[in-house]
Amino acid sequence: MADTQDFTKMMQDMMSAFSMDPTAMQDAFKTQASLAEKMSKVALEAAEKSTEISAKWTKDTLAKFGEVATVKDEPTDYTKSLTDFASSSAEMAAENMAAFAEVAKKVQMETVELMLAAGKDFSQDATTAMKKATTTATKTVKKATTAAAS
């Protein structure tokens, strides 16, 4: 009578071929952590630059308003002072909004560069892991096939 084939050993060998490679997981984690660090750096630089722009804008506005608050000799001088303040405020707003736009543009460009680099890194990590898994699986299948044939 024919012996019943033991599939338990073959299944264990097959499943061990698809086990997770801890180095692949570590590499993926390192790549992700590196990306997070770089993205944080971009965000912090943008926050710092935005804070500098805001502080300068506030300081300039207060200085200009100080001129409005001074006592004038003629009533028309108050009107001129307010007009000058409104004009300079509009000019400062345009300049500062352009500065904020430059910060946003820089953040956008750096983020795109980081994401492209990260995609390349993740792709390389995945390719390496898949090649290793394929090689191991192929060896195991050949081994299982040879064992089953005997």
Side-chain angles (χ1 to χ4, degrees), residues 5-77:
Q5 222 173 2
D6 184 13
F7 287 103
T8 305
K9 174 84 170 106
M10 187 172 31
M11 288 300 290
Q12 287 174 342
D13 290 343
M14 186 179 74
M15 293 306 288
S16 69
F18 295 106
S19 64
M20 198 61 182
D21 182 18
T23 57
M25 288 296 287
Q26 288 173 343
D27 291 344
F29 178 78
K30 287 176 184 176
T31 301
Q32 191 279 330
S34 175
L35 173 64
E37 178 184 10
K38 291 172 185 171
M39 291 295 285
S40 295
K41 183 179 177 189
V42 169
L44 290 171
E45 286 176 2
E48 182 180 355
K49 200 69 159 156
S50 294
T51 302
E52 288 172 7
I53 293 167
S54 293
K56 183 182 178 305
W57 190 356
T58 301
K59 186 176 178 181
D60 292 347
T61 300
L62 292 172
K64 295 286 183 183
F65 195 76
E67 296 170 16
V68 173
T70 59
V71 176
K72 315 286 188 254
D73 293 333
E74 296 292 322
T76 55
D77 291 341

Side-chain angles (χ1 to χ4, degrees), residues 42-118:
V42 169
L44 290 171
E45 286 176 2
E48 182 180 355
K49 200 69 159 156
S50 294
T51 302
E52 288 172 7
I53 293 167
S54 293
K56 183 182 178 305
W57 190 356
T58 301
K59 186 176 178 181
D60 292 347
T61 300
L62 292 172
K64 295 286 183 183
F65 195 76
E67 296 170 16
V68 173
T70 59
V71 176
K72 315 286 188 254
D73 293 333
E74 296 292 322
T76 55
D77 291 341
Y78 288 102
T79 304
K80 183 180 181 322
S81 178
L82 284 172
T83 304
D84 290 345
F85 175 74
S87 176
S88 66
S89 291
E91 188 178 312
M92 283 189 300
E95 290 172 4
N96 288 306
M97 293 311 288
F100 281 125
E102 285 299 315
V103 170
K105 181 179 170 184
K106 183 179 178 198
V107 167
Q108 181 182 20
M109 290 177 62
E110 289 179 359
T111 300
V112 168
E113 289 173 8
L114 286 173
M115 295 307 287
L116 290 173

Side-chain angles (χ1 to χ4, degrees), residues 105-140:
K105 181 179 170 184
K106 183 179 178 198
V107 167
Q108 181 182 20
M109 290 177 62
E110 289 179 359
T111 300
V112 168
E113 289 173 8
L114 286 173
M115 295 307 287
L116 290 173
K120 186 178 176 183
D121 291 345
F122 283 126
S123 176
Q124 288 173 346
D125 290 349
T127 301
T128 303
M130 290 309 292
K131 282 181 181 179
K132 187 172 182 178
T134 301
T135 303
T136 306
T138 303
K139 287 178 184 176
T140 303

